[in-house]
């Protein structure tokens, strides 16, 4: 990626932060290989898919009225896309059940499985969620698990952001 290379020419970069999760994998083709070549670490934000991959959101009605995920900024949460994306969550839940883990722990374990240079920063408002998230460090995904989880991105309905937000992604 030309922008990253230009930035490194100006000043050393130790880490790059971008959205990365089971349902947001756009960085894999160009960004991850480039930063790895340059020795730059990666910080994954929203590794739980804005909370959706935890399995706790089953309907748009599960979100509070003033929640940004309801306002159209995130098309994956539009009613028709959210309903289709439940199939993704159900597969994460199946892997979680096999491991005696929560879906959120599986989603985080998957991000952490992407390499030693990848760290995840899941957002949360509650201490119990921080404790639950730490449990992802104990999950050991098998090659079969990773392959099953890798395949989920193809089934995600809706774009990461609304069109006006997508114009700024990757710049």
């Amino acid at each position: 990626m030309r922008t990253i290379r230009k930035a490194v020419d100006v000043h050393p970069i130790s880490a790059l932060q971008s959205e990365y999760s089971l349902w947001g994998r756009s960085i894999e083709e160009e960004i991850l290989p480039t930063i790895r070549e340059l020795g730059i670490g990666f910080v994954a934000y929203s590794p739980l898919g804005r909370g959706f991959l935890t399995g706790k959101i089953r309907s748009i009605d599960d979100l509070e009225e003033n929640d940004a995920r309801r306002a159209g900024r995130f098309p994956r949460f539009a009613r028709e896309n959210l309903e289709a994306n439940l199939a993704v969550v159900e597969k994460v839940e199946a892997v979680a059940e096999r491991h005696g883990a929560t879906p959120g722990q599986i989603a985080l374990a998957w991000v952490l499985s992407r390499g030693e240079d990848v760290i995840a920063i899941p957002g949360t408002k509650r201490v119990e969620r921080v404790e639950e998230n730490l449990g992802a460090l104990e999950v050991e995904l098998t090659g079969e698990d990773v392959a099953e989880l890798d395949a989920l991105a193809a089934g995600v309905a809706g774009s990461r952001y609304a069109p006006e937000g997508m114009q700024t992604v990757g710049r």
Side-chain angles (χ1 to χ4, degrees):
M1 302 260 343
R2 201 172 79 227
T3 304
I4 296 169
R5 291 181 191 285
K6 285 172 62 175
V8 168
D9 287 344
V10 173
H11 193 276
I13 298 174
S14 58
L16 177 75
Q17 178 179 322
S18 187
E19 186 172 345
Y20 190 42
S21 70
L22 285 168
W23 76 350
R25 313 237 329 250
S26 62
I27 63 146
E28 290 180 337
E29 193 171 309
E30 293 181 10
I31 293 174
L32 270 179
T34 300
I35 65 173
R36 285 181 169 148
E37 175 189 330
L38 298 170
I40 299 170
F42 185 77
V43 179
Y45 77 78
S46 198
L48 299 174
R50 303 191 190 290
F52 188 73
L53 298 170
T54 66
K56 297 185 182 352
I57 302 167
R58 306 308 274 198
S59 157
I60 196 75
D61 298 324
D62 292 337
L63 303 171
E64 294 185 22
E65 288 296 323
N66 64 349
D67 192 306
R69 294 170 290 184
R70 287 185 81 129
R73 183 174 168 209
F74 307 109
R76 291 178 181 162
F77 287 90
R79 190 171 306 274
E80 65 280 1
N81 291 335
L82 190 140
E83 290 172 6
N85 288 330
L86 285 174
V88 172
V89 169
E90 289 167 2
K91 291 177 181 172
V92 175
E93 289 171 333
V95 175
E97 188 172 322
R98 291 195 305 262
H99 284 275
T102 67
Q105 289 170 334
I106 295 302
L108 287 172
W110 178 86
V111 170
L112 296 173
S113 78
R114 305 323 278 182
E116 298 274 325
D117 56 347
V118 176
I119 62 168
I121 53 169
T124 185
K125 296 177 185 173
R126 296 177 181 82
V127 171
E128 60 267 18
R129 293 292 167 251
V130 172
E131 293 168 348
E132 177 184 334
N133 292 342
L134 285 171
L137 297 171
E138 305 302 318
V139 175
E140 293 186 34
L141 297 173
T142 66
E144 183 178 296
D145 294 328
V146 171
E148 183 177 345
L149 294 167
D150 281 349
L152 297 179
V156 174
S159 61
R160 180 173 156 193
Y161 295 113
E164 58 276 6
M166 288 302 292
Q167 293 176 9
T168 63
V169 173
R171 295 183 185 211

